Amino acid sequence: MHKNVRSKDRLDVGTIIAEDADTLTIYKGSGREYKVPKTLVEGYNGAEVSLGITYKELLGYKIQ
């Protein structure tokens, strides 16, 4: 946990703050939290998690 996350278009989208069996919760500050399925993870290089979606697509996973 607490790994940086980048979107497919290489934007910094936040930090993982929680994980369960199927999802990751990403926090970006100012109340911006996203809950994404783990199936959207494209890779991990030891320091950052890469998502297989763009930042614009990530907005659809925002926690209200």
Side-chain angles (χ1 to χ4, degrees):
M1 248 192 310
H2 300 290
K3 300 292 183 190
N4 290 335
V5 183
R6 290 209 178 262
S7 61
K8 188 173 186 172
D9 46 355
R10 303 302 302 151
L11 296 174
D12 178 10
V13 296
T15 304
I16 297 172
I17 60 167
E19 176 180 1
D20 64 28
D22 299 321
T23 62
L24 299 173
T25 303
I26 302 166
Y27 178 75
K28 181 60 177 171
S30 300
R32 290 182 287 171
E33 287 187 27
Y34 310 95
K35 191 165 195 147
V36 298
K38 287 183 177 178
T39 57
L40 296 180
V41 172
E42 192 170 76
Y44 174 65
N45 69 7
E48 287 187 333
V49 173
S50 300
L51 297 178
I53 59 173
T54 64
Y55 178 71
K56 186 175 180 179
E57 292 169 320
L58 177 67
L59 295 177
Y61 292 92
K62 186 174 181 183
I63 299 172
Q64 300 297 327

